[in-house]
Amino acid sequence: MAEETEGLPSRTDFSAWYNEVIRRADIIDVRYPVKGLNVWYPFGFALRQHTYNLLRSLLNRDHEEALFPLLIPENEFMKEAEHIKGFEDEVYWVTHGGLTPLDVKLALRPTSETAIYPMYSLWVRSHADLPLKLYQIVNTFRYETKHTRPLIRVREITSFMESHTVHTDWEDANNQVEYEIELAKEFYRELGVPIIISKRPDWDKFPGADFTIAVDAVFPDGRTLQIGTVHHLGDHFAKTFDITYEDVNGEQKLASQTCFGISERSLAAIIAVHGDDKGLVLPATVAPTQVVIIPIIVGKRGDEILAAAAELEAELKAAGLRVKTDKRDMRPGAKYYHWELNGVPLRVEIGPRDLDNKQLVCVNRLGVKTQIPREGAVESVNRLLNEAHDQILEKAENHLEAHLKHAETVEEANEVLEGNVVAVHWCGDRECADKLEELTNSALLGTEIRSKYVADDEGRCIICGKPAKPALIGRSY
Amino acid sequence: MAEETEGLPSRTDFSAWYNEVIRRADIIDVRYPVKGLNVWYPFGFALRQHTYNLLRSLLNRDHEEALFPLLIPENEFMKEAEHIKGFEDEVYWVTHGGLTPLDVKLALRPTSETAIYPMYSLWVRSHADLPLKLYQIVNTFRYETKHTRPLIRVREITSFMESHTVHTDWEDANNQVEYEIELAKEFYRELGVPIIISKRPDWDKFPGADFTIAVDAVFPDGRTLQIGTVHHLGDHFAKTFDITYEDVNGEQKLASQTCFGISERSLAAIIAVHGDDKGLVLPATVAPTQVVIIPIIVGKRGDEILAAAAELEAELKAAGLRVKTDKRDMRPGAKYYHWELNGVPLRVEIGPRDLDNKQLVCVNRLGVKTQIPREGAVESVNRLLNEAHDQILEKAENHLEAHLKHAETVEEANEVLEGNVVAVHWCGDRECADKLEELTNSALLGTEIRSKYVADDEGRCIICGKPAKPALIGRSY
């Protein structure tokens, strides 16, 4: 937890910048003795806590939080054939209790369908029990053999939000899918992170789902990161786990289900999308410290200035803001450096001149400077925080727009793919997709794209020339 | 999550009552397909959340929350000899990732010393880094072979709060031990749960500790449940994990450490200590619903009464209270039954007469009825909630006092041990303790007892007659 004074790597070298900023800003320590298992520093933990509390507040409007066990017995885990295939290479298995081999092996949940649905089978009896909408926020595990990277590809996802809903029929479940998409949109808007929503191709959907809607962010290097998914499960799992209900006419019916997940990749997106060469840039909605007050002590008025800072801190805190005053005995410049690295949205300076003029000097994390009158500071600070949020969202939107290219031919696509995602037209045939992926060394991310930068127009397939709809290709984490 | 209408078993049959109330009040479902791994219903989860948020608010005064991995590599886990011995029979081992055997087996943490201290070894460099006071709230695992029981003896402890502090010397760590004891006292006072604090005998201390201070509750059947522990670790782990610092004189010194744990047994104590034949009795500090409003609809004034209930709900909520209005179309008596089962501290009834008289009828969970004026309801309700808290604490204190007996001889002890804990005198010799435990079929719980019901006096050892100090014996969960 020691801060260094040399500069960060430039964000143009994104990978180096990301690893350094996560370490120096006290988010995560990767030196734990097992690769891919990381330690949250208190500052990182606080950021995580605020982010998940925001997510909880949105979910609690129409879901309830519950909690299911980590360990899934092999027989339950193995029940749904497609689902197992999707996970068999990456599940951690507990085989021993003490020195005794277990009768039934236990999987560490990679996701909790097979832990939750045996209970849903007990709980759902009648149409009156539906819809059932629960979520949990839990640690989940993947035995990653690829290169791990904090928050992006890890072996213990320490905070996976997974919502699991049950409905009377496919249509009602589909309405829930749309509801969860809107919820994900609202969540990321609160974080200032622009997203692209699309339907994953069939071969890339969640194992056992009817279809998967994915939420992607575009990183500074133009690669995408999947930061949320909503799955329509149809009645696949309901069949396997016997989730049935008695309808209004007394008939037994199969239920229809959805699940929806957001992981700590949401924090990776906050860090990667907003950060700059000085360090983190945090949205005020989740910043552990929203406002830092820096007393500028020059001349003999130190006590007076500290008293004014304390009074301001109390006033802002009483209004519900998360505020710190940096009273350390060091140059203001070194303090600015520290709080910029930590991404604090607004810095408020109080010096002798500000006292005399009954004013405050505010500088937001993007460097925008504003003088405000001391009177009514709460209102002004809240306004500046809102403006700062708009500014980081706009900056991020501009980045997304600049990195979303269009191409009509493979040659055009190859010209712009480096550092960008590219909208093309694709006929829907798997063969054309395989060829496209091979020729462009990219992945087909999705169709039915929901983004203001991609029109829902008809075109010609970039491979076969047949009538086609928009599809997105790119390189992903 | 279906409610039944037959009565609960009487609380005098504690074991049957406990299992039933946990199920019917929607705390926990034990029907998960692996014994000892349980599911939290939304209501139970909310109670857990409020309880842990209370604990967090106390800890955050001088600790910070962090998060360390679940999986501990075998080589780290095996470093501290005493510690391993204490856990080797009850650790779950992960041996495979997918179909591949792991190079190094991974333990599911039973507790996190061996996960955290390798990091502390990296983080602690200088006396300026000390004291270091972190905690985490995590799932931990024990391969229990004994009979499991929800919240009391389980295989996944879903929320174990473990605080780990590092200090310059033994004395400073000892001050922290005292600080944590006071914190545990405050926590349980807020829950209305009376406790007995004592020093565990040496053979029952935490594996690797200098000594262990335990917090016990006395259950309705007179058995004790350990609901908190504070351990002085001395420098045992610091030696093993190389946690050293440079002191003010530039010398390298070994650090001294403490740890402190509270698990979801705290919820078992809330349920067991306060509950009655009608169900849960929850302290308002953590009750998911603190106040339930019951509109009494008789005659033609239904709309008027519902409007008054809505207005009251809004007023109480604006004051920060957790309130529900039960508008279901059913008899008030059935509603009372439901909310009593769920332990809601205060019920507020509004009927036509109350409207006319500008009053409210309040009944707390112990059955104490009070009429309050409608005007100033927030203040009155808060007063009634405080009084209700005092009443449940007093009731619990009376129970504890009645079940704490004294004995000077083995015969006397045997006469009163059934359903009670018993204070005796013991010389401190292991042999006498073994004999005492054998002759009374009980366990020596602790010495240096901190309880107003046990005087710190000199006496004669109940076995050998030599000079002796007070010790507590009893039967435990």
Side-chain angles (χ1 to χ4, degrees):
Chain A
M1 298 192 235
E3 193 167 302
E4 285 140 58
T5 45
E6 324 100 76
L8 278 173
S10 162
R11 185 155 159 281
T12 51
D13 180 1
F14 175 68
S15 196
W17 175 87
Y18 180 79
N19 290 338
E20 272 297 289
V21 82
I22 275 189
R23 186 177 72 84
R24 291 203 198 178
D26 289 336
I27 305 287
I28 272 175
D29 192 332
V30 297
R31 291 174 294 170
Y32 189 75
V34 183
K35 190 177 79 110
L37 302 180
N38 301 322
V39 175
W40 289 85
Y41 286 119
F43 179 76
F45 188 87
L47 176 61
R48 172 184 180 275
Q49 194 84 326
H50 287 295
T51 305
Y52 279 85
N53 284 345
L54 168 62
L55 185 55
R56 279 190 166 99
S57 73
L58 302 180
L59 283 160
N60 287 346
R61 288 178 193 156
D62 99 321
H63 296 67
E64 289 186 294
E65 190 166 0
L67 187 59
F68 296 82
L70 167 67
L71 301 174
I72 306 173
E74 186 177 22
N75 48 327
E76 296 293 342
F77 191 74
M78 292 302 191
K79 269 186 182 160
E80 217 288 328
E82 273 188 66
H83 192 69
I84 309 155
K85 263 190 291 169
F87 290 103
E88 68 183 347
D89 290 338
E90 53 184 39
V91 169
Y92 279 111
W93 288 104
V94 177
T95 59
H96 286 72
L99 303 170
T100 315
L102 299 178
D103 292 338
V104 179
K105 285 199 296 182
L106 301 169
L108 302 195
R109 61 183 161 223
T111 170
S112 300
E113 286 71 18
T114 57
I116 295 177
Y117 300 167
M119 303 309 296
Y120 278 10
S121 172
L122 297 170
W123 294 350
V124 173
R125 289 269 158 269
S126 140
H127 63 92
D129 299 326
L130 301 179
L132 175 63
K133 302 179 191 176
L134 302 182
Y135 73 95
Q136 63 175 1
I137 298 177
V138 293
N139 50 352
T140 62
F141 295 81
R142 308 270 167 109
Y143 178 61
E144 290 288 352
T145 48
K146 293 190 202 164
H147 183 66
T148 60
R149 196 188 295 266
L151 301 176
I152 293 177
R153 187 175 298 281
V154 292
R155 288 176 163 184
E156 177 178 14
I157 298 161
T158 62
S159 43
F160 181 52
M161 184 295 291
E162 45 179 336
S163 149
H164 296 268
T165 69
V166 189
H167 305 265
T168 51
D169 54 53
W170 200 95
E171 267 313 312
D172 195 48
N174 205 44
N175 292 338
Q176 185 68 22
V177 167
E178 290 300 319
Y179 181 90
E180 317 268 41
I181 292 170
E182 289 306 313
L183 198 153
K185 281 162 73 173
E186 187 172 353
F187 177 61
Y188 283 110
R189 199 161 51 236
E190 291 285 319
L191 301 180
V193 172
I195 53 178
I196 302 174
I197 292 165
S198 69
K199 188 175 177 177
R200 287 276 184 260
D202 237 32
W203 58 88
D204 201 21
K205 70 183 182 187
F206 181 72
D210 272 10
F211 64 81
T212 290
I213 304 292
V215 177
D216 290 306
V218 178
F219 267 35
D221 57 3
R223 289 165 75 184
T224 60
L225 184 72
Q226 175 176 301
I227 54 173
T229 45
V230 185
H231 312 293
H232 196 311
L233 301 180
D235 56 16
H236 295 217
F237 287 91
K239 272 184 202 146
T240 307
F241 289 96
D242 190 27
I243 302 173
T244 60
Y245 67 95
E246 190 178 280
D247 75 3
V248 278
N249 304 317
E251 275 176 61
Q252 285 296 315
K253 291 254 172 90
L254 268 182
S256 211
Q257 294 179 264
T258 82
C259 64
F260 164 39
I262 284 182
S263 79
E264 56 213 34
R265 282 184 165 189
S266 54
L267 278 89
I270 296 172
I271 294 165
V273 168
H274 298 310
D276 63 20
D277 286 357
K278 292 176 176 175
L280 297 178
V281 176
L282 296 180
T285 43
V286 296
T289 301
Q290 297 168 311
V291 178
V292 61
I293 300 170
I294 312 276
I296 311 285
I297 315 269
V298 283
K300 292 181 183 163
R301 298 173 65 187
D303 289 348
E304 203 186 335
I305 288 165
L306 285 172
E311 198 186 331
L312 178 64
E313 179 181 325
E315 196 173 319
L316 296 176
K317 276 188 173 166
L321 289 163
R322 299 188 288 272
V323 188
K324 279 194 176 164
T325 301
D326 188 344
K327 288 178 270 191
R328 289 176 297 173
D329 181 20
M330 54 196 276
R331 288 181 307 106
K335 293 184 183 182
Y336 301 167
Y337 176 88
H338 169 83
W339 298 105
E340 283 167 357
L341 173 63
N342 284 284
V344 175
L346 194 68
R347 176 174 92 219
V348 180
E349 303 167 6
I350 310 184
R353 192 140 39 121
D354 305 310
L355 273 191
D356 294 340
N357 297 343
K358 298 190 170 110
Q359 67 175 30
L360 299 166
V361 175
C362 299
V363 183
N364 78 17
R365 181 57 183 78
L366 297 185
V368 178
K369 193 167 180 169
T370 316
Q371 279 187 0
I372 60 169
R374 173 62 184 84
E375 205 183 318
V378 166
E379 207 178 313
S380 304
V381 162
N382 273 316
R383 179 175 46 78
L384 292 175
L385 287 173
N386 284 333
E387 286 172 15
H389 195 269
D390 293 343
Q391 287 164 19
I392 66 170
L393 178 57
E394 192 189 344
K395 186 162 166 262
E397 275 287 357
N398 290 342
H399 175 271
L400 179 68
E401 187 176 9
H403 291 262
L404 213 168
K405 307 290 186 187
H406 293 75
E408 291 299 320
T409 66
V410 169
E411 292 66 36
E412 278 177 36
N414 276 328
E415 268 167 35
V416 292
L417 254 170
E418 185 61 39
N420 299 299
V421 286
V422 182
V424 300
H425 284 90
W426 169 57
C427 63
D429 277 2
R430 177 73 192 261
E431 257 178 60
C432 287
D434 286 348
K435 203 160 171 186
L436 173 61
E437 291 189 341
E438 197 193 318
L439 290 172
T440 57
N441 186 27
S442 72
L444 197 146
L445 299 172
T447 58
E448 300 180 25
I449 303 151
R450 305 185 193 196
S451 164
K452 60 183 164 186
Y453 309 118
V454 182
D456 181 30
D457 58 356
E458 294 277 332
R460 296 278 162 190
C461 177
I462 190 168
I463 299 294
C464 71
K466 285 186 191 151
K469 299 285 285 175
L472 213 59
I473 61 173
R475 289 159 191 161
S476 318
Y477 277 94
Chain B
M1 298 193 235
E3 193 165 301
E4 285 140 59
T5 46
E6 325 100 76
L8 278 173
S10 162
R11 187 156 158 280
T12 51
D13 180 1
F14 174 68
S15 197
W17 175 89
Y18 180 79
N19 290 338
E20 272 296 290
V21 81
I22 276 189
R23 184 177 74 84
R24 292 203 198 178
D26 288 338
I27 305 287
I28 272 175
D29 192 332
V30 298
R31 292 174 294 171
Y32 190 75
V34 183
K35 191 178 77 112
L37 302 180
N38 301 323
V39 175
W40 290 84
Y41 285 119
F43 179 76
F45 189 86
L47 177 62
R48 171 184 181 274
Q49 195 84 324
H50 287 295
T51 305
Y52 279 85
N53 284 345
L54 168 63
L55 185 55
R56 278 190 167 98
S57 74
L58 301 180
L59 283 161
N60 287 347
R61 289 180 192 154
D62 100 319
H63 296 67
E64 288 185 294
E65 190 166 1
L67 187 59
F68 296 82
L70 167 66
L71 301 173
I72 307 172
E74 186 179 19
N75 49 327
E76 296 292 343
F77 191 76
M78 292 302 192
K79 268 185 182 162
E80 216 287 328
E82 271 188 68
H83 192 68
I84 310 156
K85 263 190 291 166
F87 290 103
E88 68 183 349
D89 290 338
E90 54 184 40
V91 170
Y92 279 110
W93 288 103
V94 176
T95 58
H96 286 72
L99 303 170
T100 316
L102 299 177
D103 292 339
V104 179
K105 285 200 296 184
L106 301 169
L108 302 195
R109 61 184 161 223
T111 170
S112 299
E113 287 70 19
T114 57
I116 295 177
Y117 299 167
M119 303 309 295
Y120 279 9
S121 172
L122 298 170
W123 294 351
V124 173
R125 289 270 159 270
S126 139
H127 62 92
D129 298 326
L130 301 179
L132 175 63
K133 302 179 191 176
L134 301 182
Y135 73 95
Q136 64 175 1
I137 298 177
V138 293
N139 50 353
T140 62
F141 294 82
R142 310 268 168 110
Y143 177 61
E144 289 289 351
T145 48
K146 294 189 203 164
H147 184 66
T148 59
R149 195 188 294 266
L151 302 176
I152 293 177
R153 186 176 298 281
V154 290
R155 287 177 163 182
E156 178 177 16
I157 299 161
T158 62
S159 44
F160 181 52
M161 183 295 291
E162 44 178 338
S163 148
H164 296 267
T165 69
V166 189
H167 305 266
T168 51
D169 53 53
W170 200 95
E171 267 313 312
D172 195 46
N174 205 43
N175 292 338
Q176 185 68 22
V177 166
E178 289 299 319
Y179 181 90
E180 317 269 41
I181 292 170
E182 288 306 312
L183 198 153
K185 281 162 72 172
E186 187 172 353
F187 176 60
Y188 282 110
R189 199 161 51 234
E190 291 285 319
L191 301 180
V193 172
I195 53 178
I196 302 174
I197 290 166
S198 68
K199 188 174 176 176
R200 286 276 184 263
D202 237 32
W203 58 89
D204 202 20
K205 70 184 183 188
F206 181 72
D210 272 10
F211 64 82
T212 289
I213 304 292
V215 177
D216 290 307
V218 178
F219 267 34
D221 58 2
R223 288 165 74 183
T224 60
L225 184 72
Q226 175 176 302
I227 54 174
T229 44
V230 186
H231 312 293
H232 195 312
L233 301 180
D235 57 15
H236 295 217
F237 287 92
K239 272 183 199 147
T240 307
F241 289 96
D242 190 27
I243 304 173
T244 60
Y245 67 97
E246 190 177 282
D247 75 4
V248 278
N249 304 316
E251 276 176 61
Q252 284 296 314
K253 292 255 171 90
L254 267 182
S256 210
Q257 294 178 266
T258 82
C259 64
F260 164 38
I262 284 181
S263 80
E264 56 214 33
R265 282 184 165 189
S266 54
L267 278 89
I270 295 171
I271 295 165
V273 168
H274 298 311
D276 63 20
D277 286 356
K278 292 176 176 175
L280 296 179
V281 177
L282 296 179
T285 43
V286 296
T289 301
Q290 297 169 312
V291 178
V292 62
I293 301 170
I294 313 276
I296 312 285
I297 314 269
V298 283
K300 292 180 183 165
R301 298 173 66 187
D303 288 349
E304 202 186 335
I305 288 165
L306 285 173
E311 197 185 332
L312 178 65
E313 179 182 327
E315 196 173 319
L316 296 176
K317 275 188 173 164
L321 289 163
R322 299 189 287 271
V323 187
K324 280 194 176 162
T325 301
D326 188 343
K327 288 178 269 192
R328 291 176 296 172
D329 181 21
M330 53 196 276
R331 288 181 307 108
K335 293 184 182 181
Y336 301 167
Y337 176 88
H338 170 82
W339 297 106
E340 283 168 357
L341 173 63
N342 285 282
V344 175
L346 195 68
R347 177 174 91 219
V348 180
E349 304 166 7
I350 311 184
R353 193 143 37 124
D354 305 309
L355 274 189
D356 294 339
N357 296 342
K358 298 188 171 117
Q359 67 175 28
L360 300 166
V361 175
C362 300
V363 183
N364 78 18
R365 182 54 184 80
L366 297 185
V368 178
K369 193 167 180 169
T370 316
Q371 278 188 1
I372 60 169
R374 174 63 187 81
E375 204 183 319
V378 166
E379 207 178 313
S380 304
V381 163
N382 273 317
R383 179 174 47 78
L384 292 175
L385 287 173
N386 285 334
E387 286 173 13
H389 196 269
D390 293 344
Q391 287 163 19
I392 67 170
L393 179 57
E394 192 189 341
K395 186 162 166 263
E397 275 286 356
N398 290 343
H399 175 271
L400 179 66
E401 188 176 8
H403 290 264
L404 213 169
K405 308 290 186 186
H406 294 75
E408 292 298 321
T409 66
V410 169
E411 291 67 36
E412 279 176 34
N414 276 328
E415 269 166 37
V416 292
L417 254 171
E418 186 60 40
N420 299 299
V421 287
V422 182
V424 299
H425 284 90
W426 170 56
C427 63
D429 277 1
R430 177 72 191 261
E431 258 178 60
C432 286
D434 286 348
K435 204 162 171 186
L436 174 61
E437 291 188 342
E438 198 193 316
L439 290 173
T440 57
N441 187 27
S442 73
L444 197 145
L445 299 171
T447 57
E448 301 180 25
I449 303 150
R450 305 184 192 196
S451 163
K452 60 182 164 186
Y453 309 118
V454 181
D456 183 28
D457 58 356
E458 295 276 334
R460 296 278 160 190
C461 176
I462 190 168
I463 299 295
C464 70
K466 285 187 191 150
K469 299 284 285 175
L472 213 60
I473 62 173
R475 287 158 192 162
S476 317
Y477 277 94

